[in-house]
Amino acid sequence: MLTDPIADLLTRIRNAGLARHEDCKMPHSKLKERIVAVLTSEGCLGGYSTTEEGGHKKLVVVLKYDDQRRPVIEKIRRVSMPGRRVYVRHDRIARVRSGLGLSVLSTSRGVMTDSEARRLKVGGEIICEVW
């Protein structure tokens, strides 16, 4: 049993990138799939798919590298944790690395990036920051 499955997702992505793996597998959940979908649409990841192994769904995340085989995701940091939730209004969402990075938020309209939340004028819980 995991205490924080989102932190496990981010750690697996970070470790697989440092080890230069092509992809990484993890247990599936709808929230994890939505977070990976947002990171894929922003160009941080190469893609994702779901598979079935031993009667359990798995999420397979394809990592993305630049021309010199460095991971596109330089850092990925969990902001809101089970013991410390971080909520923001749409006008208080901070820019990550002066706009070079992005935040992933869980809002009433679903999981989205910080720029999309500002545009739609919705606040929510900051899940993680990526740069």
Side-chain angles (χ1 to χ4, degrees):
M1 181 180 126
L2 291 172
T3 307
D4 189 3
I6 304 304
D8 180 61
L9 163 81
L10 301 177
T11 300
R12 286 179 193 236
I13 291 172
R14 183 183 316 112
N15 289 345
L18 291 173
R20 306 292 195 267
H21 289 252
E22 292 298 317
D23 59 12
C24 62
K25 293 181 184 176
M26 62 205 69
H28 179 273
S29 77
K30 290 179 185 178
L31 180 59
K32 287 181 191 179
E33 186 174 354
R34 289 185 187 123
I35 292 169
V36 170
V38 167
L39 292 175
T40 301
S41 68
E42 290 296 313
C44 298
L45 296 173
Y48 70 97
S49 63
T50 58
T51 61
E52 187 97 15
E53 286 184 16
H56 298 286
K57 284 179 85 172
K58 296 279 184 183
L59 184 64
V60 180
V61 178
V62 179
L63 301 173
K64 192 173 181 180
Y65 298 96
D66 63 6
D67 297 337
Q68 298 167 350
R69 192 82 177 130
R70 290 180 304 207
V72 171
I73 295 177
E74 186 178 319
K75 296 277 185 183
I76 188 164
R77 184 175 71 93
R78 179 85 157 114
V79 176
S80 189
M81 299 173 223
R84 182 182 59 98
R85 301 291 185 183
V86 179
Y87 298 97
V88 292
R89 295 182 351 193
H90 73 89
D91 56 344
R92 302 272 171 117
I93 300 172
R95 298 196 187 279
V96 179
R97 298 284 170 151
S98 301
L100 296 176
L102 63 103
S103 292
V104 179
L105 282 85
S106 176
T107 69
S108 58
R109 295 194 187 175
V111 178
M112 62 183 70
T113 63
D114 54 345
S115 58
E116 191 176 355
R118 275 190 220 97
R119 185 176 54 81
L120 295 174
K121 295 188 177 180
V122 292
E125 179 183 359
I126 301 176
I127 297 173
C128 64
E129 293 177 342
V130 180
W131 66 89

